[in-house]
Amino acid sequence: MADGERFDMSATKAKVVARDVSVFYGEKQALFDVDLEIGRNEVTALIGPSGCGKSTFLRCLNRMNDVIDGCRVVGSVKVDGTEILDDGIDAVQLRRRVGMVFQKPNPFPKSIYDNIAYGPRIHGLSRDKDDLDEMVQSSLEKAGLWGEVKERLQQPGTGLSGGQQQRLCIARAIAVRPDVILMDEPCSALDPIATAKIEELIDELRESFSIVIVTHSMQQAARVSQRTAFFHLGVLVEVGETERIFTNPVDERTQGYITGRFG
Amino acid sequence: MDEPVAPRGLQVTDAEAAHVRRRYRSERRFRLLGAGAIVMALTMLALLVTSIVSTGWSAFYQHSLKLEVYFDPAVIDPDGKRDPDTLRSANYTSLARAALKAEFPEVEGRRDIRALNGLLSNGVDIQLLKMVQADPEIIGQRLPVELIASDDVDSFLKGFIDRDEQESNRRVKDNEIAWLDALEAKDAVVAKFDALFWTSGDSREPELAGFWGAMVGSFLTLLVTLGLSFPIGILAAVYLEEFAPRNKFTDIIEVNINNLAAVPSIVFGLLGLAVFLNFFGLPRSAPLVGGMVLALMTLPTIIIASRAALKAVPPSIREAALGIGASKLQVVTHHVLPLAMPGVLTGTIIGMAQALGETAPLLMIGMVAFIVDVPGGITDPATVMPVQIYLWADSPERAFVARTSAGIMALLGFLVLMNALAVLLRKRFERRW
């Protein structure tokens, strides 16, 4: 299991290390023995056809699968060397360290301010009101939304446009200062202009966070990620530098998918 | 309704045109049927309201006889000490009768005098007692007092008794009519808004019977029902929907809750009788027990409505909260429950409205007793509005018919009020996502 040399990345650079991860939904196995490292301050893209297990894998990393009835995860996932699949690990604390942005923008039906302030509040991260104000501002700034909403922080977050809502969700995720951000097809509900903004934002966030993004768009994977993992039928087929995967895939299934022969 | 015509230049075969015509015809038929159903429902409603209002409106006013009453110190307070006990036990009826006799000094003979006295309600003694208790200074004075007329006189004056009817078939005899005519000529007959209906409890005399006791009883009962079924219902719904594992056992619970909602309400009354009264020995006829029984009845309604409302909260909101590290309880209390609140409140108010109109289970626990006093707490004997209506509907006196309808109007008024409250609360709590 300590055989990290199998991969082209030194163990110290890896933020998250997954080993032999299998996921079962009741009797059905959805993921088969996945070994994957997520690099520090890198964007890792997970690609593959629908139902290939990429979202399932993503949800292992912050144990969101826990809330699905009959879902069982086996194997090992370590974040900064700590095993997170242990029963002793508090999923609530883990999710503060590993944030998540979902496919459909899902702001709370509250004000923009409260959307961002909610995480710091429940985790007790701010000392006082000024502190909280500052956290809200810096999170919105990092998400590139501050300029657009600073005049209307008390208005409902659901009143923003789709792209703004998704950036609000990103700001909400980074407000609790996670180490890793998981993004589950964050642009699939957005138009190309909003998508471009989010992609730009992902590139900036890479400096402070490790990011894992699930995407259906191979162009998007190519644009934003440094490493790409290709999943097929619950198996991790191939992982490597994004450029290499798209120009010179080793496995013929990868080849077939990126050239559009199936998927 | 003009049938849309195909755009010019578009070739349509005869078969196609016939098909389209058939489609529009069936749509027209459907709309007509729907409109017909609504018209029918509205007609029934109008019929119901008209019949109730036309019988009940007369209960809202009441006839009195304005007579000069001498508050005779020899009768009220012979020793002049103004002792409250003496004042209470004095014979006020004789004062009222003396006032009436003064108007008709020519009436002689026991039978005629009894008929004359019958013009006045049995409640005039209380009326005079209250005046004396409010101000003992009036003892020894001569004052005009509007003494409540008896129910038969009131019915006659309201026109429900036909004076052309044969005397033997008439509740108000010829001599009584003559006296009333004489009083009317002196402007001594007054019709006024019947405040007694809204301020007093039940009575054997229709002209004295009020709805206030039943209203307070209903209020206290519903208070107990709400206090029990709202928190228990929400807790049960939240636990079943958000925390309980899905297995055979919870399936059985769910089926049972759905079945409980369909159990006839009288069964809950029998349960209350067996458990609350016979086993726990709680007081009979009390709003406390009534409220507990009705809470059992409304719980399934509230649980089912709350679970549906919780289920309708989009999972994306749960995921969003879980994703930034909210605990399960925080997800529920901060996000899911507030969003489900309009549905929960609607379910609760529907349940409460049901409880407000419920009679059968309360008969089982003794809330059908004849109770004159307005209840002061949840352990006092009381009755509720629908039971009061049932009791009045069962009484033989002619004037109770109007009382019954007036009670129904009051009950319907409260139902409308509660439904309005439901709409208001929904609007207030409704948030979009």
Side-chain angles (χ1 to χ4, degrees), chain A residues 59 62 64 67 69 91-92 95-96 98-100 102 104 106-110 115 118-119 122-123 158 172-173 176, chain B residues 244-246 314-328 330-335 338-339 431-433:
Chain A
R59 293 168 68 96
N62 68 345
M64 280 298 268
V67 297
D69 272 337
V92 167
R95 290 184 197 132
R96 176 168 117 53
V98 183
M100 190 156 188
F102 297 85
K104 226 181 97 196
N106 55 356
F108 298 130
K110 298 174 189 274
N115 260 284
Y118 181 70
I122 60 170
H123 292 295
T158 41
R172 182 176 65 188
V176 294
Chain B
R246 299 257 180 276
S316 65
I317 297 291
R318 282 170 235 258
E319 285 194 325
L322 284 172
I324 48 172
S327 70
K328 213 154 178 196
Q330 285 171 327
V331 173
V332 171
T333 54
H334 295 170
H335 301 285
L339 288 175
R431 262 180 270 175
R432 293 194 303 142
W433 51 74

Side-chain angles (χ1 to χ4, degrees), chain B residues 195-216:
Chain B
L196 220 52
F197 183 78
W198 300 104
T199 54
S200 71
D202 197 8
S203 169
R204 290 280 182 232
E205 307 296 331
E207 72 274 15
L208 301 175
F211 209 49
W212 179 241
M215 280 156 70
V216 173

Side-chain angles (χ1 to χ4, degrees), chain B residues 276-291:
Chain B
F276 299 141
L277 297 187
N278 292 349
F279 187 74
F280 288 110
L282 292 172
R284 230 157 261 273
S285 311
L288 174 67
V289 181

Side-chain angles (χ1 to χ4, degrees), chain B residues 369-403:
Chain B
F370 170 70
I371 289 148
V372 177
D373 292 323
V374 176
I378 56 170
T379 51
D380 288 354
T383 189
V384 293
M385 288 191 271
V387 177
Q388 185 69 74
I389 290 168
Y390 165 75
L391 284 171
W392 282 348
D394 215 23
S395 301
E397 285 86 351
R398 169 71 178 75
F400 271 125
V401 175
R403 285 283 199 246

Side-chain angles (χ1 to χ4, degrees), chain B residues 345-356:
Chain B
L345 287 175
T346 308
T348 306
I349 293 184
I350 288 174
M352 296 310 280
Q354 232 172 38
L356 180 69

Side-chain angles (χ1 to χ4, degrees), chain B residues 38-90:
Chain B
I38 293 200
V39 167
M40 201 151 93
L42 284 180
T43 317
M44 294 295 172
L45 184 70
L47 222 62
L48 173 84
V49 171
T50 333
S51 99
I52 290 174
V53 171
S54 61
T55 27
W57 67 274
S58 65
F60 292 122
Y61 72 98
Q62 173 89 54
H63 284 97
S64 303
L65 305 180
K66 196 171 182 181
L67 300 172
E68 191 101 332
V69 176
Y70 175 49
F71 290 88
D72 190 352
V75 174
I76 301 173
D77 192 15
D79 31 329
K81 288 195 198 128
R82 298 291 187 261
D83 179 35
D85 280 337
T86 325
L87 294 187
R88 199 173 308 128
S89 56

